[in-house]
Amino acid sequence: MVNYKFVHDKERCIRCGGCFAACKQQNGVPEDISRINIVTIDEGKSGERHITMTCMHCNDPPCVRACPVKGISKREDGIVINDKDKCIGCEYCSWACPFGAPKYPDTGPAELRGIMDKCTFCVIPYEQTDEYGTSILRAPNPKCAGFCATKARLGGDASEITATYNERVAGRLVERQIGV
Amino acid sequence: MSHTAYVVFTVFSQMAVGALIAMVIADFLGKDKKFFETASWVIVPAVIISLVAILSHEARPLLAMMTMSANVGSSWLSRESLMLTVFAILAVIYTCLWIFEPEYGSFKRICKPVHGLIAKIAKPFVPFRKPLGIIFALVGIAFLFISARAYMLLGLPAMNHITTPLFFIVTALLTGTMLVAAVLSIKYMMAPKEYAEPLGAYLGVAWKVVLGSVIAGIIVLAGYLRILKGAAASYGAELAQGMTLTNILSGEMTTVFWLYVAIGFILTVILVAAVAAFLKKDVSKAAVLSIVLFASVLVGELMGRLVLFGANVPLGEVMPYVLSSII
Amino acid sequence: MATKTNSIFGGSDIKLSRRTFTKLTALGTAAALSGINSVSAYPEGLELFEEVTAAPAAATNKVKSICSFCSVGCGYTGVVEDGVWTKMEPWEDHPINLGGMCSKGTALANVTNSPRRLRYPMEKVGGTWRKISWDAALDKVANKLNEIRDTDGPDSVFFCGLVHGSNEEAYMFRKFAMLFGTNNIDHQARICHSTTVAGLLNTFGHGAMTNTVIAMQHAKCHFFFGSNAAEAHPVFMQKVFVAKERGAKIVVADPRFTRTAAMADKFVRFRPGSDIAFLYGLINVILENGWEDTEYVENRTYGFEYVKEAVKDYTPEVVERITWVPADDIREVASIIALNKPSNIIWSMGATQHSVGSQIIRASAILQCILGNQGEWGGGCVPIRGHCNVQGVTDMCVLSHFLPGYYGVTSEGSWDWYAKCFSDTPSTSGKITFDELKARFDTLNGESMMTKIGFAVSRWYEGVLKPEAEIDQPHNIKAVVLWGEATSSVTEMKREKEAMEKVDLVVIVDPFPTSASAMPDRSDGIILLPAATRQENSGSVTTTGREWQWRDTIIPPLYESKTDMWIFQELAKKLGFGDHFDYNSIEDVTREINLAVRPIGCQGQTPERMKRQKENYHTFDPWDGRAKGGPCDGEYWGLPWPCWTTDHPGTPILYNDKAPVMEGGHDFRAKWKYPDDEPNAGEEIVRGNLPPTGDGSGTIHWTYNYAKDPTGEVNEQALAEGNPPTGRGRAMLRVANTKWVDRVPKHREPIESPEPDLVATYPTYEDKKFYRVMTEFKTEQQRSIAENRHVNYPIVLTSGRQVEHHGGSAQTRNSDYLVQLQPEMYVEINPKVANDIGVKHWDFVWVKSARGQCKVRAYVTERVNEKTAFMPYHWAGVFEGQDYKDRYPTDGVELARGDSVNIIASPGYDEQTQMQETKVALCKIEKA
Ligand code: SF4
Ligand code: SF4
Ligand code: SF4
């Protein structure tokens, strides 16, 4: 059973913005919002690190519980998606989300203005239907992780990506122990 | 993000609850029901203003109206919206019990034909207005709690405290009581002789309620700031609260905060004292002052709510710091 | 325009009907709520859903290609639907980037589809922009160039740019200038790594990065010295982090606490312009502690005694005074890089853009030789190049002092070779003899201009502005052709602007109108030719690690834009040498390169081999970039030059004598001019004992005369003898060329120094006339002191890159994604400086220098210290606070504009190459 997740390796992220632009391009996210938020901590000081934040596809998602119109759901494979046809734009999911992941767009196509948008693990773009009204569903192939310049952002099956991540952490720990 | 919609929505829905409570109290005050009846008209408009405010915020207001209560199973917002619907219905019923009262109900002066029918339906219930009023007021208070619960979220650490419902109750009592007082004062001004006594009776109760609420408000606010301060030190939800406190005391919300304190507390207390003082000597002055007091309470509460929403730092904003310290 | 830039449908997308979709989510929710763990993995689950056939499937085409921003050479896949480039996908098995790209790369489609592109040729007439036809535009350009050629001579035209072009286009550009009859052609390498080329070439034999990016994974210590790779070359960091996770150390020395520095184990902040002193401090400590690799130094280098002598005085304490770095930090850095081997030294513009740039590079190379790193996997000199093909364009020598393949222009033999190549190549029909070629050039004082080095791109405007008598050519420059060249990347922009106003004709060939179209205040005489972007044409591009990759066309040129090849061919026709450009395809040009460009070994990179690699990318091991099995078995990714024959696997590590040459082994160049004062040096320069490698371990051989051997027999002979055709020589710790003032590097203060005392001890060079123009060194340095600039302008200004923008940024400042990430120009200042002048973060400030001023935002940060300020150099479109948005063609106004740091940068130039000194200037900051 797959369980899709992200891992962010802050020892690798360099704030290049690749994930940001990749997501925008892949999903057609409008100008004033982004599904990815890159935050720099302690800028200009030693210990400066960058954190990219998106939806974490929580195991027990507060947003799903909060949404008054049952517009957000967690799929079998762990991906939390929002249905823009149901969304009324109350922003409540964004408040409930510990990461503030769902975003409220002020621009973009008129019919989607004020309708929340969030990371869908790339399975659904910003406009969820094509011009024939057909729902678009894509393979869970997170472009932000695929394009991440340093592979800091890992996205995929939880067990696989945590294994990769743990390997790196182990490598860095060893280095710290033998360090000259 | 603009918080106006939420500010207006919460304050006016609470004002409606408060006004209903005030009307129940008024119902117990003496015989001059005809005088009090007029004030019953304001409850429903307050509910409507709050509804318009909240729907104006939604991208799809119509859809929102239809579906908002779809997730009562887990969403406090759904529950809030459901409770608001219930309360709105009860408020209409309660208002009907006043305005369709066969004797002094004022509706018949407006539209006779409609009146006849509804008055007939209402008639058997009118005698039970007092007990029903108490029940409805309790439902209103429940709504206040549920409404507050909707904002008590993990993602909004600074609001995730008991202070939120307490703030709401204080607002309800302050604004509701004074809304009714203001309407009655206007009514009184039209016929000062006739209504001096019932107004005096109402204001006599009202100023005590308001004073009590203001004191409660001060305690809640102090408690709130204390909680934020206590939390300010560490990471995570605490950090968010610390940042909220900074926003209030030395950030973008500072001006509004001090206006809130100045109008909502200091000016209000002075005005309450003035009303109480004039009540014995000159009801007409007390009436004018009540209107001013209403304005002061309303503005103060709007400011207070603006601070509550505007200064609030959601957890999402500090989450990167949390993540950076744990991974 | 039918561009559906952000289309979100089609492709591999699975289309579901509304009904089934809802079912899916309902199912998912139900399962989640009830806690049922389905046993089926998601991909199988997908088959449950019917595909909808109602929507016609878009014709989808996926093309793999190479990013056209920085030089790491990342691959990506472009998704083209119905002829429209809609999306990109990561090329996940690409041996270099493994799919990773930075924001610029992932915005490539966005850039290409930008509505601000130049759509058709335009001409500025009477102050307004007019659309003209291609034919009319080319006629106008050709007629004017011919007219200038006839009246003033071919040297009165200056060609520059093409740094993003393919090797083929670069070769054509240089050939174009050769046949036009001028050496006045140059490109951005002049202002980015010309000092690297000069420094490394004169030390080792080749002027390029000695490793590949892939090899960085093998290092045990990365020493970033003047490189902010995290912003300038983000994907490079991927390899650095792999090494770090395998125990490597990261050391960063920089005047600024960069994002790279944030990731380092050790960071030292030194004064801009004190690089050589810092490096010598390190060497001093290394020698003091006996950490040098004695065997290596003895066997493989020449001139160590001179170095020993030179570094003797640079004790950590002396160096502390010069560099502002505590002596203990210098000792610590020295110990880290000396004890974690193989270590390398990684630099970019931080080290090159100095008046002593070539010497800084020499000092770096010396450091690597002393530690014995040069020639190791992951060790050695790592100059990371800036643009996607600046390495290739440098190799094709769009330079005023070289012909393709680094044949010097001053030697008639080079011209003879090319006259032969142009005639013999089967790719074109044209024939030309040496004499005919020579006749195309002007003469000055009876000497042909053919063998005279032309103007450098950093100084071309002097050819317009200086009186005719003061420049080394018959007449002033009358026309300038900017072929994908950002005018804002050149210092002394005010003079450049003046020059652009004075010339008769400005031709701009670019996919965008660019800020160059708006900069000169002129109402006529600018012609804009819409060139295709690099995503709209194909050709080979060389990464910073000398790997050749084939860049494929994602979509045909949009609007009326044309490929560079087409423009060259048409222009050449109109100028009368079209028969030398009648290539049938771009591959024909590659074949001509394979034939002609011999010194650096470009024989192996045939179009067929490159394409075969591209198809079999998955057979290459990302750990060392070598194919394991398959059709490319044994080849290194990109056939890094030198790739001597079509059987050679490429040379990933230069000067690696541990591997047989046919396995990618190499050695230092053996052929040098004898130093005049040491007639016997030749013997020392050739290696005595050869490495015990492979089968034929080589013969002691002076050198092979392979560079002008059209048959390739000499190459074969050398390889058969187990030697690289360049011979087996030694690294020249002391340069052979006696024309160098400092044959061993020596610290010299920058032209604008904040420390006048140090100027007295470490003065710069004497004034010097080279590249056709007098260049002030000492005069300007003394002027700076006389004007008290160190007091009036107390802050040292340095400049550099932002990750979201690239070069002059004509492309990136027109991409909405990138502009969202980085919308405005700023100057980074320390909080103390900001508080002292009373500005808050993001307020406007004036940054002033003796040359001019810039109005920009203040970025208050501790990245810089109180004595330093930093500005990114990508910005243009605003000139000294004045927005030029009204001067662009209406549709082409750049999305984000900002003041240019190069208006106020220093007027210093490198003593070897005319590299501009952008990294040290004196400035002051005032509240705006
Ligand atoms: S692409 Fe990777 S390295 Fe770049 S900002 Fe995103 S997570 Fe960080
Ligand atoms: S939107 Fe927020 S709460 Fe919902 S799954 Fe994503 S991270 Fe969790
Ligand atoms: S998984 Fe896709 S939708 Fe989610 S943040 Fe990454 S690119 Fe955007």
Side-chain angles (χ1 to χ4, degrees):
Chain A
M1 167 88 184
V2 284
N3 183 15
Y4 287 110
K5 287 281 180 207
F6 289 118
V7 168
H8 180 75
D9 185 347
K10 75 173 196 298
E11 296 302 321
R12 276 199 180 204
C13 178
I14 48 176
R15 205 196 166 114
C16 70
C19 48
F20 173 96
C23 180
K24 285 229 160 190
Q25 179 148 284
Q26 170 73 3
N27 297 308
V29 183
E31 213 170 282
D32 65 329
I33 56 162
S34 168
R35 293 180 177 187
I36 300 195
N37 196 6
I38 316 178
V39 182
T40 298
I41 291 164
D42 288 338
E43 190 183 71
K45 303 191 181 85
S46 77
E48 169 185 314
R49 287 293 180 272
H50 316 283
I51 306 284
T52 61
M53 284 212 322
T54 54
C55 169
M56 296 293 211
H57 302 278
C58 305
N59 284 343
D60 178 13
C63 59
V64 171
R65 270 182 286 139
C67 177
V69 298
K70 293 193 178 158
I72 310 181
S73 52
K74 189 170 174 70
R75 306 198 317 183
E76 223 173 325
D77 55 6
I79 299 172
V80 178
I81 46 174
N82 60 335
D83 182 345
K84 291 194 180 180
D85 280 345
K86 286 191 185 165
C87 178
I88 53 170
C90 66
E91 247 185 306
Y92 199 55
C93 49
S94 167
W95 292 9
C97 170
F99 308 96
K103 296 276 160 42
Y104 183 93
D106 272 327
T107 60
E111 69 278 11
L112 289 178
R113 222 167 279 157
I115 298 301
M116 303 304 282
D117 184 56
K118 68 179 277 298
C119 163
T120 60
F121 227 80
C122 281
V123 295
I124 302 179
Y126 182 76
E127 291 180 72
Q128 297 181 346
T129 49
D130 66 11
E131 72 255 57
Y132 309 99
T134 311
S135 293
I136 301 160
L137 192 63
R138 309 191 288 213
N141 191 354
K143 286 292 181 293
C144 52
F147 271 121
C148 173
T150 60
K151 303 287 150 216
R153 199 173 163 72
L154 301 169
D157 186 14
S159 54
E160 267 169 46
I161 57 174
T162 38
T164 313
Y165 180 66
N166 289 342
E167 223 169 86
R168 291 185 194 171
V169 173
R172 291 192 285 250
L173 277 182
V174 169
E175 166 222 343
R176 227 172 280 158
Q177 279 158 10
I178 343 175
V180 244
Chain B
M1 182 175 107
S2 154
H3 308 278
T4 339
Y6 285 95
V7 171
V8 174
F9 163 68
T10 53
V11 170
F12 277 82
S13 63
Q14 287 146 24
M15 192 198 280
V17 174
L20 194 143
I21 296 172
M23 283 310 296
V24 175
I25 296 172
D27 210 359
F28 285 94
L29 288 176
K31 311 223 156 29
D32 214 334
K33 298 279 155 73
K34 183 160 185 278
F35 174 65
F36 292 127
E37 186 263 354
T38 314
S40 67
W41 281 90
V42 297
I43 304 173
V44 174
V47 176
I48 291 173
I49 293 178
S50 74
L51 268 172
V52 169
I54 192 65
L55 290 177
S56 78
H57 176 80
E58 315 300 356
R60 293 171 178 151
L62 286 177
L63 186 65
M65 244 161 37
M66 324 269 288
T67 58
M68 198 110 157
S69 317
N71 196 14
V72 274
S74 71
S75 169
W76 282 101
L77 194 66
S78 274
R79 292 170 192 164
E80 183 192 18
S81 111
L82 189 68
M83 274 308 276
L84 182 62
T85 319
V86 170
F87 176 73
I89 294 168
L90 296 185
V92 171
I93 295 174
Y94 187 66
T95 308
C96 288
L97 294 183
W98 278 95
I99 61 177
F100 291 102
E101 212 279 344
E103 209 176 298
Y104 46 78
S106 55
F107 197 84
K108 61 174 170 280
R109 268 178 284 140
I110 299 167
C111 182
K112 227 173 184 146
V114 179
H115 177 261
L117 180 68
I118 301 178
K120 221 171 270 165
I121 303 170
K123 201 166 170 213
F125 298 99
V126 173
F128 301 106
R129 191 173 69 206
K130 279 182 194 167
L132 281 176
I134 293 173
I135 293 169
F136 292 179
L138 289 177
V139 173
I141 290 170
F143 161 70
L144 291 188
F145 272 97
I146 286 175
S147 168
R149 186 61 187 77
Y151 302 98
M152 291 162 69
L153 292 167
L154 205 69
L156 304 176
M159 294 183 91
N160 197 3
H161 298 296
I162 184 68
T163 45
T164 308
L166 295 182
F167 272 127
F168 284 12
I169 289 181
V170 167
T171 307
L173 291 179
L174 277 177
T175 53
T177 316
M178 285 322 295
L179 175 63
V180 171
V183 174
L184 293 181
S185 297
I186 293 168
K187 171 112 188 176
Y188 154 84
M189 283 171 193
M190 292 183 214
K193 297 246 168 56
E194 206 178 323
Y195 296 136
E197 197 241 297
L199 179 68
Y202 181 79
L203 288 183
V205 178
W207 79 261
K208 286 173 198 133
V209 174
V210 171
L211 187 62
S213 305
V214 172
I215 292 168
I218 294 174
I219 295 170
V220 176
L221 179 65
Y224 176 64
L225 295 179
R226 182 75 201 83
I227 290 172
L228 295 188
K229 186 148 186 278
S234 48
Y235 268 124
E238 287 78 13
L239 182 64
Q241 299 181 47
M243 283 163 71
T244 308
L245 186 66
T246 318
N247 276 348
I248 297 176
L249 295 181
S250 55
E252 43 183 303
M253 278 295 153
T254 314
T255 331
V256 185
F257 174 72
W258 289 114
L259 278 175
Y260 168 43
V261 172
I263 299 172
F265 297 125
I266 302 174
L267 184 63
T268 302
V269 170
I270 294 172
L271 288 171
V272 169
V275 169
F278 280 111
L279 206 51
K280 300 269 148 47
K281 297 177 239 159
D282 185 350
V283 179
S284 67
K285 290 224 174 81
V288 176
L289 281 171
S290 301
I291 297 170
V292 180
L293 179 55
F294 168 63
S296 139
V297 165
L298 180 60
V299 173
E301 284 312 303
L302 286 172
M303 298 276 170
R305 200 50 47 82
L306 202 58
V307 172
L308 196 66
F309 282 109
N312 182 62
V313 174
L315 187 58
E317 243 162 75
V318 300
M319 210 55 188
Y321 297 86
V322 181
L323 293 178
S324 83
S325 64
I326 56 173
I327 53 173
Chain C
M1 185 188 76
T3 329
K4 41 177 185 180
T5 323
N6 287 325
S7 166
I8 33 72
F9 44 85
S12 66
D13 302 347
I14 305 140
K15 294 196 175 198
L16 300 170
S17 72
R18 151 83 43 224
R19 191 172 43 79
T20 46
F21 173 68
T22 334
K23 231 170 24 193
L24 164 72
T25 52
L27 256 173
T29 322
L33 285 178
S34 55
I36 300 166
N37 281 356
S38 158
V39 281
S40 73
Y42 178 64
E44 278 88 21
L46 271 182
E47 292 165 10
L48 292 172
F49 307 102
E50 52 188 293
E51 287 215 18
V52 168
T53 42
T60 305
N61 193 10
K62 292 191 184 185
V63 190
K64 288 193 160 55
S65 195
I66 305 298
C67 175
S68 68
F69 287 110
C70 89
S71 60
V72 173
C74 303
Y76 66 92
T77 309
V79 181
V80 182
E81 294 167 60
D82 289 337
V84 179
W85 187 7
T86 52
K87 268 185 297 194
M88 289 170 67
E89 280 174 11
W91 180 348
E92 269 158 4
D93 295 330
H94 188 277
I96 297 177
N97 65 329
L98 301 175
M101 286 183 115
C102 70
S103 47
K104 299 183 290 288
T106 43
L108 265 173
N110 185 256
V111 167
T112 312
N113 293 330
S114 168
R116 290 167 208 84
R117 287 269 303 266
L118 181 61
R119 295 169 191 222
Y120 30 73
M122 291 188 108
E123 186 189 16
K124 201 170 186 184
V125 188
T128 51
W129 290 101
R130 273 209 214 132
K131 175 184 173 175
I132 49 174
S133 71
W134 261 107
D135 214 35
L138 289 175
D139 272 340
K140 276 189 185 180
V141 173
N143 290 346
K144 187 72 197 172
L145 295 191
N146 262 337
E147 182 194 318
I148 293 173
R149 197 171 189 285
D150 294 343
T151 52
D152 299 280
D155 282 323
S156 289
V157 180
F158 186 76
F159 298 93
C160 63
L162 209 83
V163 75
H164 283 207
S166 59
N167 292 325
E168 290 74 16
E169 288 155 344
Y171 178 85
M172 278 190 268
F173 197 26
R174 191 66 183 92
K175 183 174 181 182
F176 188 90
M178 283 159 90
L179 292 166
F180 187 75
T182 180
N183 283 328
N184 273 339
I185 177 167
D186 213 19
H187 84 288
Q188 290 89 335
R190 177 71 58 199
I191 51 179
C192 88
H193 271 291
S194 62
T195 48
T196 296
V197 176
L200 292 188
L201 193 130
N202 283 289
T203 311
F204 300 147
H206 290 305
M209 173 161 155
T210 61
N211 258 297
T212 57
V213 174
I214 294 171
M216 289 299 109
Q217 301 170 111
H218 299 246
K220 282 281 168 278
C221 170
H222 294 282
F223 177 29
F224 288 88
F225 182 71
S227 160
N228 180 11
E231 291 206 66
H233 307 94
V235 176
F236 184 88
M237 293 303 281
Q238 191 190 96
K239 307 297 170 198
V240 172
F241 289 135
V242 171
K244 191 176 183 189
E245 279 142 24
R246 300 170 54 89
K249 297 273 166 217
I250 302 182
V251 183
V252 175
D254 206 292
R256 176 170 169 256
F257 183 79
T258 58
R259 287 189 195 158
T260 317
M263 293 308 192
D265 297 296
K266 173 80 190 159
F267 166 68
V268 288
R269 194 194 287 279
F270 68 98
R271 174 170 69 95
S274 63
D275 309 54
I276 294 178
F278 184 78
L279 290 171
Y280 269 14
L282 298 180
I283 299 178
N284 183 298
V285 175
I286 287 167
L287 296 184
E288 190 100 314
N289 290 286
W291 288 331
E292 74 269 27
D293 185 335
T294 332
E295 202 192 313
Y296 187 99
V297 168
E298 201 159 288
N299 254 329
R300 303 199 58 193
T301 69
Y302 154 80
F304 179 55
E305 324 73 73
Y306 298 99
V307 173
K308 243 173 155 172
E309 180 66 24
V311 301
K312 188 171 84 231
D313 303 332
Y314 293 83
T315 61
E317 283 66 28
V318 172
V319 174
E320 174 171 349
R321 167 72 192 94
I322 304 174
T323 59
W324 303 347
V325 181
D328 283 344
D329 275 351
I330 295 167
R331 293 198 178 91
E332 193 186 337
V333 171
S335 75
I336 299 175
I337 61 170
L339 301 178
N340 293 282
K341 287 207 283 192
S343 61
N344 54 36
I345 179 164
I346 301 165
W347 71 83
S348 286
M349 297 326 60
T352 62
Q353 291 181 333
H354 290 279
S355 53
V356 288
S358 303
Q359 298 295 352
I360 295 173
I361 306 317
R362 291 255 311 120
S364 308
I366 291 170
L367 173 71
Q368 286 306 311
C369 286
I370 287 175
L371 289 174
N373 287 326
Q374 194 56 65
E376 296 288 330
W377 275 83
C381 291
V382 186
I384 328 179
R385 308 294 307 248
H387 304 275
C388 60
N389 194 32
V390 66
Q391 182 60 53
V393 181
T394 306
D395 297 338
M396 296 309 126
C397 295
V398 180
L399 290 167
S400 59
H401 64 309
F402 282 131
L403 299 185
Y406 305 95
Y407 295 92
V409 293
T410 49
S411 142
E412 290 205 337
S414 315
W415 294 94
D416 188 42
W417 167 251
Y418 269 104
K420 264 200 212 99
C421 289
F422 292 166
S423 307
D424 294 351
T425 173
S427 304
T428 63
S429 62
K431 301 271 178 272
I432 194 163
T433 64
F434 171 74
D435 292 324
E436 281 165 357
L437 189 56
K438 191 170 179 179
R440 298 194 64 82
F441 284 79
D442 216 345
T443 53
L444 181 66
N445 307 330
E447 285 180 51
S448 170
M449 295 302 290
M450 183 175 81
T451 48
K452 298 280 177 277
I453 292 173
F455 270 103
V457 78
S458 48
R459 305 299 303 283
W460 69 270
Y461 43 83
E462 302 296 359
V464 183
L465 301 176
K466 288 233 158 134
E468 236 157 55
E470 284 181 29
I471 55 173
D472 283 347
Q473 68 176 35
H475 296 285
N476 278 122
I477 291 172
K478 297 279 160 57
V480 56
V481 181
L482 301 167
W483 207 298
E485 156 81 24
T487 44
S488 56
S489 60
V490 170
T491 53
E492 297 202 69
M493 268 178 84
K494 273 189 172 170
R495 279 183 78 72
E496 189 194 20
K497 179 170 183 283
E498 208 185 319
M500 282 178 72
E501 284 156 9
K502 203 177 158 195
V503 291
D504 297 346
L505 178 68
V506 179
V507 183
I508 297 170
V509 191
D510 210 289
F512 289 89
T514 81
S515 56
S517 71
M519 189 167 85
D521 188 5
R522 58 187 300 158
S523 54
D524 297 272
I526 312 184
I527 291 178
L528 307 180
L529 302 180
T533 62
R534 304 303 163 198
Q535 293 72 253
E536 294 159 334
N537 66 13
S538 62
S540 62
V541 284
T542 310
T543 68
T544 184
R546 298 163 283 107
E547 297 142 315
W548 289 45
Q549 305 188 85
W550 193 261
R551 182 162 64 190
D552 263 321
T553 310
I554 305 280
I555 41 168
L558 288 178
Y559 318 115
E560 283 184 27
S561 59
K562 299 281 184 202
T563 63
D564 288 342
M565 177 162 170
W566 184 89
I567 305 175
F568 284 128
Q569 287 179 323
E570 292 304 306
L571 259 186
K573 256 187 243 164
K574 295 200 193 276
L575 289 170
F577 44 84
D579 53 342
H580 287 285
F581 283 85
D582 54 1
Y583 303 102
N584 287 325
S585 64
I586 197 96
E587 286 83 356
D588 275 353
V589 192
T590 323
R591 290 184 193 107
E592 189 171 323
I593 294 174
N594 295 149
L595 178 77
V597 180
R598 296 196 165 260
I600 55 167
C602 293
Q603 280 60 62
Q605 298 97 339
T606 60
E608 292 71 26
R609 279 184 101 192
M610 281 187 269
K611 288 179 182 175
R612 189 176 66 189
Q613 285 208 343
K614 196 170 168 228
E615 269 157 35
N616 295 288
Y617 61 91
H618 54 279
T619 61
F620 288 82
D621 183 351
W623 171 244
D624 56 6
R626 198 163 195 195
K628 310 271 145 67
C632 309
D633 190 25
E635 286 178 13
Y636 285 97
W637 176 253
L639 304 163
W641 68 250
C643 181
W644 303 111
T645 63
T646 45
D647 299 326
H648 193 266
T651 310
I653 311 296
L654 291 181
Y655 325 119
N656 169 15
D657 66 351
K658 295 200 182 77
V661 182
M662 279 312 282
E663 301 284 318
H666 193 223
D667 214 328
F668 295 117
R669 188 213 283 192
K671 183 179 182 181
W672 298 96
K673 268 193 197 137
Y674 287 105
D676 300 339
D677 54 347
E678 279 178 86
N680 295 329
E683 284 149 38
E684 287 184 45
I685 293 166
V686 177
R687 271 182 89 159
N689 53 338
L690 294 175
T693 49
D695 32 346
S697 57
T699 50
I700 297 184
H701 202 293
W702 166 233
T703 180
Y704 300 91
N705 202 359
Y706 70 102
K708 288 171 192 163
D709 163 43
T711 58
E713 275 167 15
V714 185
N715 270 355
E716 301 284 354
Q717 179 205 344
L719 296 175
E721 288 175 19
N723 287 333
T726 40
R728 290 195 180 271
R730 292 168 190 262
M732 310 289 283
L733 302 193
R734 179 183 194 234
V735 290
N737 190 337
T738 45
K739 289 206 192 94
W740 285 50
V741 181
D742 296 332
R743 292 176 63 191
V744 174
K746 184 175 158 188
H747 173 63
R748 292 177 185 271
E749 278 296 304
I751 302 298
E752 270 195 343
S753 169
E755 300 260 17
D757 312 354
L758 291 176
V759 172
T761 332
Y762 307 101
T764 186
Y765 302 98
E766 299 297 330
D767 295 355
K768 177 176 172 186
K769 193 170 196 185
F770 62 134
Y771 288 91
R772 303 196 178 176
V773 63
M774 190 67 196
T775 308
E776 292 179 341
F777 288 87
K778 204 159 201 168
T779 314
E780 183 65 25
Q781 195 177 47
Q782 290 305 326
R783 192 180 296 135
S784 166
I785 293 173
E787 288 176 6
N788 252 340
R789 287 190 201 155
H790 57 284
V791 182
N792 300 335
Y793 301 97
I795 293 179
V796 183
L797 176 70
T798 183
S799 67
R801 271 196 183 178
Q802 293 172 315
V803 64
E804 299 85 356
H805 292 301
H806 185 83
S809 272
Q811 304 188 65
T812 53
R813 280 186 290 108
N814 277 318
S815 153
D816 28 3
Y817 303 158
L818 300 173
V819 169
Q820 277 160 43
L821 284 168
Q822 198 63 265
E824 265 183 273
M825 172 68 175
Y826 55 74
V827 57
E828 281 182 3
I829 52 175
N830 190 271
K832 183 175 179 302
V833 176
N835 294 337
D836 285 351
I837 58 170
V839 297
K840 288 210 269 303
H841 184 69
W842 221 235
D843 284 353
F844 275 109
V845 290
W846 283 107
V847 187
K848 298 185 176 173
S849 79
R851 268 83 47 202
Q853 53 185 18
C854 286
K855 190 182 176 190
V856 294
R857 302 267 188 190
Y859 197 110
V860 181
T861 171
E862 284 174 28
R863 280 203 198 284
V864 286
N865 68 6
E866 296 141 33
K867 298 172 193 164
T868 323
F870 166 86
M871 286 166 90
Y873 80 92
H874 310 289
W875 294 81
V878 176
F879 204 92
E880 299 205 291
Q882 194 192 338
D883 195 342
Y884 280 175
K885 68 170 183 294
D886 301 336
R887 295 207 202 156
Y888 290 84
T890 336
D891 290 344
V893 185
E894 288 175 298
L895 190 57
R897 299 170 305 281
D899 226 324
S900 314
V901 61
N902 282 330
I903 298 170
I904 55 177
S906 152
Y909 296 94
D910 178 68
E911 184 259 349
Q912 284 301 318
T913 70
Q914 287 280 17
M915 163 69 82
Q916 53 191 6
E917 185 165 55
T918 62
K919 296 298 179 230
V920 208
L922 294 179
C923 75
K924 66 177 168 193
I925 293 161
E926 288 170 3
K927 196 174 171 149

